[in-house]
Amino acid sequence: MQMTLRWYGSKYDTVTLKQIRQIPGVTGVISTLYGTAPGEAWELEDILALKKEIEDAGLQLAGIESVNIHDAIKVGTPDREQYIDNYITTLERLGQADIHMVCYNFMPVFDWTRTELARMRPDGSTVLAYTQEAVDALDPEKMFESIAGDTNGAVMPGWEPERMARIKDLFEMYRDVDDEKLFANLKYFLERIMPTCDKYDINMAIHPDDPAWSVFGLPRIIINKANILRMIRMVDNPHNGVTFCSGSYGTNLENDLPDMIRSLKGRVHFAHVRNLKFNSPTDFEEAAHLSSDGTFDMYEIMRALYDIGFTGPIRPDHGRMIWDEVAMPGYGLYDRALGATYLNGLWEAIEKQHRK
Ligand code: DNO
């Protein structure tokens, strides 16, 4: 595996490439062309400029998170052809730039969903949190406003204000889309892009829906072992793979995370590893990465990744806000650096134990 950190680019991130370079064992970053809209074909020169900036700082651009999917593709409207063509152009240019991992998601309307961005924990750190009760009491159109005050001035990926302004229309677009339609539209998209992925050796890594259940009555399909295996098999190509995100699949306590990883051998192209602490099955908060701070056994998660021979990029996921840092919720420097170091430590121990 290659340890990386997500980086939002010098225009948007409070964390610098120099700081990332100084975290022991972190050799790459995961980034994207922030400022592009879903559906646009990316320019090769913009991709190369991002790559050069990262390489000049002594790091590698280890993959893209995300190349977002236009809603026409998820809904399956006739204009999806144009947007798939644009997606293919972007993939070709990424391939030409020698980039081989692309993370994306297939969530309708909302990307990841949290009801609090700064819940205080007993140690004074703040974390992202979710309660089903809060979601049930909320008008979906008010979702964005309800958390907007806690973003520390950052634009949250997936929650861009332009997108939230169209929320009513988006809900209308998805009115007739159920799980089966969403699966069919995902299959159609994957079949169209796989030849390009084969040509340029690009691993597509679908991100799970977070939380791993339907919110506001919208269909959500990338939520559990049965569905993810269905997705892998319906387009049976090694480039059709997953982002294994422990914090997203882990929102549903019925998901056995190490078992899911083992069942996805050869198809885990990217890993997001973080821990959650449950106060009840429908109330959870993001904990430190350390197993004892939350609910998951992080050693078992890392061991499963090791056992399947995982070689792709991995990143600590959302961190707590600690030491008075002011940054994008979940994406400060300090706690993610602690997370990377801890995950590297687990990996070293597992590797050495295995060699004995
Ligand atoms: C949240 C992230 C997600 C993820 C996308 C992938 O912090 O994990 O926004 O990047 O769902 O497309």
Side-chain angles (χ1 to χ4, degrees):
M1 60 95 170
Q2 178 187 16
M3 186 56 69
T4 64
L5 221 69
R6 188 178 197 178
W7 182 63
Y8 287 97
S10 35
K11 252 172 71 196
Y12 302 89
D13 211 317
T14 54
V15 180
T16 64
L17 289 172
K18 182 176 173 194
Q19 289 167 325
I20 297 175
R21 174 84 171 87
Q22 291 171 351
I23 307 169
V26 173
T27 58
V29 296
I30 299 293
S31 193
T32 188
L33 287 184
Y34 292 99
T36 54
E40 256 178 58
W42 293 9
E43 299 299 333
L44 180 59
E45 61 169 345
D46 295 341
I47 299 169
L48 291 174
L50 175 71
K51 192 174 177 229
K52 182 170 184 315
E53 184 183 6
I54 292 166
E55 287 174 356
D56 286 349
L59 291 158
Q60 194 207 341
L61 176 53
I64 301 294
E65 177 177 354
S66 313
V67 181
N68 282 318
I69 312 270
H70 194 276
D71 290 292
I73 300 176
K74 298 185 211 169
V75 173
T77 50
D79 56 340
R80 71 175 155 181
E81 299 305 334
Q82 179 59 48
Y83 292 115
I84 298 179
D85 288 344
N86 289 355
Y87 205 97
I88 289 173
T89 302
T90 298
L91 291 176
E92 285 168 347
R93 292 180 181 156
L94 288 171
Q96 286 154 12
D98 205 17
I99 295 164
H100 301 282
M101 194 286 293
V102 171
C103 171
Y104 69 105
N105 72 76
F106 222 69
M107 285 179 253
V109 186
F110 298 106
D111 191 319
W112 57 278
T113 307
R114 291 291 170 274
T115 52
E116 291 152 75
L117 298 179
R119 182 186 287 183
M120 181 83 80
R121 298 197 76 213
D123 62 4
S125 61
T126 61
V127 294
L128 288 83
Y130 182 96
T131 61
Q132 191 58 42
E133 293 68 24
V135 167
D136 292 344
L138 209 62
D139 173 349
E141 286 168 44
K142 300 272 157 56
M143 182 79 211
F144 179 65
E145 285 166 36
S146 79
I147 55 171
D150 287 331
T151 63
N152 292 336
V155 176
M156 307 287 287
W159 290 88
E160 296 78 7
E162 315 83 75
R163 190 172 166 75
M164 292 303 113
R166 293 174 39 230
I167 207 94
K168 247 203 182 115
D169 301 341
L170 284 170
F171 265 87
E172 187 55 31
M173 260 181 103
Y174 283 95
R175 213 172 37 160
D176 297 324
V177 181
D178 58 10
D179 286 10
E180 287 309 309
K181 269 211 181 124
L182 205 54
F183 262 120
N185 294 340
L186 176 57
K187 180 166 189 272
Y188 185 87
F189 165 72
L190 285 168
E191 280 170 347
R192 285 267 269 110
I193 66 166
M194 277 299 125
T196 310
C197 296
D198 291 339
K199 180 166 174 202
Y200 292 96
D201 189 22
I202 295 178
N203 285 329
M204 294 301 295
I206 197 165
H207 189 280
D209 303 349
D210 185 358
W213 55 76
S214 164
V215 282
F216 301 120
L218 294 162
R220 298 268 226 177
I221 54 177
I222 308 300
I223 54 174
N224 57 25
K225 182 174 169 181
N227 284 20
I228 194 72
L229 290 180
R230 172 176 173 186
M231 182 258 165
I232 296 292
R233 288 173 188 146
M234 76 186 181
V235 181
D236 201 4
N237 180 318
H239 290 117
N240 173 28
V242 311
T243 298
F244 193 86
C245 175
S246 64
S248 303
Y249 284 121
T251 54
N252 183 344
L253 286 167
E254 283 171 19
N255 282 334
D256 176 341
L257 303 175
D259 172 63
M260 285 176 82
I261 294 172
R262 291 200 166 84
S263 73
L264 290 164
K265 187 173 174 163
R267 297 293 185 98
V268 179
H269 296 321
F270 184 27
H272 290 177
V273 183
R274 66 181 153 92
N275 199 355
L276 296 178
K277 179 169 171 25
F278 281 81
N279 301 308
S280 85
T282 54
D283 176 324
F284 60 81
E285 56 201 40
E286 298 182 351
H289 287 74
L290 193 77
S291 302
S292 60
D293 198 49
T295 300
F296 307 150
D297 187 328
M298 305 304 281
Y299 167 79
E300 290 298 342
I301 290 171
M302 294 302 281
R303 199 168 68 119
L305 286 169
Y306 182 88
D307 287 347
I308 62 165
F310 174 68
T311 54
I314 183 172
R315 65 173 183 80
D317 208 354
H318 305 170
R320 302 163 303 147
M321 217 41 78
I322 58 172
W323 304 339
D324 300 323
E325 185 175 14
V326 178
M328 184 189 299
Y331 286 100
L333 171 66
Y334 304 141
D335 202 39
R336 286 189 302 148
L338 292 175
T341 302
Y342 169 63
L343 298 176
N344 268 331
L346 285 175
W347 192 267
E348 180 180 341
I350 294 164
E351 220 169 25
K352 289 187 172 160
Q353 183 66 33
H354 193 80
R355 278 201 219 121
K356 273 193 186 154

